[in-house]
Amino acid sequence: MAELGLNEHHQNEVINYMRFARSKRGLRLKTVDSCFQDLKESRLVEETFTVDEVSEVLSGLQAVVHSEVESELINTAYTNVLLLRQLFSQAEKWYLKLQTDISELENRGLLEQVAEFEKAEFTSSNKKPIIDITKPKLVPINEVGTTELLNKEILRLQEENEKLKLRLKNIEIQATNALDEKSKLEQALQDLQLDQGNQKDFIKAQDLSDLQNTVAALKSEFQKTLNDKTENQKSLEENLATAKHDLLRVQEQLSMAEKELEKKFQQTAAYRNMKEILTKKNDQIKDLRKRLAKYESED
């Protein structure tokens, strides 16, 4: 470890940067000296000057020096930013986060320590050989210890990341298959419900047709009975009794059919239509009863 508390490699990097900074500083000082020299040669040609002339000369010199110093300070700040960028980029390659303490930049003790280090490194009596600064870009240093552990951790995280990606892909495939299967089942259920609905409609229509045929046959039979009123009383009574029995049977069938239809067609348009038909047929039967009763009273 050297005076700055760094290892040999990092100390050499610091020396290279200080050499670069000294070179830039020397160039700027020469520029400032040339400003004064130009002023002497161009303006100080008279033996005496008025106050206004001296003030004008100093103002011009101030503007030139101010511009040169400002340019150097700006350039120095930008140069430091680029240096920090190199260090941070190298750290990010190893997934590290560096921190800086700005307050340490004004630590007088540390600044004096750097000044002494520079003086020891660059005085003519102790000047060390110039280290070649034409090096490639910063690359991570292959060291054991922390770096090796960091490399292993990065590899482990990368492997775990690949496993998670593979697992996610398998889950996505399973989810897609499940959605496809769900869609197929829903479609099959809809088809089954449609088939059941068609079958129910067919059964309802068939039952309605049978009931209409029964009512029509009954009506025809009563009409025939009324047309044959000239037959004898016994035949009429037998036919009447038979008609009554048939009427009771039909009424029972109608009642059963009405209950069955009420169960099958409840809250449907077909149910309401059938109920209206049954109501009309019941009214017709009541009318037939009245007419039969009238004929029986006449006989």
Side-chain angles (χ1 to χ4, degrees), residues 229 233 236 290-299:
K229 61 182 179 178
Q233 184 67 29
L236 182 58
K290 291 179 181 180
R291 294 172 66 180
L292 287 174
K294 182 178 179 182
Y295 286 124
E296 287 177 357
S297 61
E298 290 177 355
D299 293 339

Side-chain angles (χ1 to χ4, degrees), residues 26-146:
L27 291 176
R28 286 302 176 183
L29 290 175
K30 290 181 179 179
T31 302
V32 172
D33 292 341
S34 65
C35 292
F36 283 89
Q37 187 63 33
D38 292 340
L39 177 64
K40 291 179 182 180
E41 295 176 355
S42 62
R43 299 298 301 272
L44 301 181
V45 294
E46 302 289 339
E47 293 183 357
T48 58
F49 293 91
T50 64
V51 174
D52 293 337
E53 290 175 340
V54 173
S55 177
E56 180 184 358
V57 170
L58 292 178
S59 296
L61 179 61
Q62 179 187 8
V64 174
V65 174
H66 180 274
S67 176
E68 290 294 333
V69 174
E70 181 183 25
S71 176
E72 174 60 17
L73 293 175
I74 292 174
N75 185 68
T76 301
Y78 291 168
T79 302
N80 291 334
V81 171
L82 292 178
L83 181 62
L84 290 173
R85 179 177 177 273
Q86 292 183 28
L87 296 175
F88 292 153
S89 297
Q90 179 183 3
E92 288 175 2
K93 290 180 180 179
W94 292 99
Y95 304 96
L96 299 177
K97 294 182 179 180
L98 302 183
Q99 293 181 343
T100 59
D101 188 355
I102 303 300
S103 63
E104 291 294 324
L105 300 180
E106 297 182 350
N107 188 318
R108 298 305 305 174
L110 294 178
L111 291 175
E112 291 176 0
Q113 183 179 353
V114 173
E116 293 176 359
F117 176 78
E118 181 184 16
K119 182 178 179 181
E121 290 292 331
F122 293 98
T123 52
S124 58
S125 58
N126 297 325
K127 192 172 182 179
K128 298 182 179 180
I130 297 176
I131 301 174
D132 185 13
I133 62 174
T134 59
K135 297 181 179 180
K137 293 182 179 180
L138 292 174
V139 295
I141 300 175
N142 234 351
E143 293 181 339
V144 296
T146 305

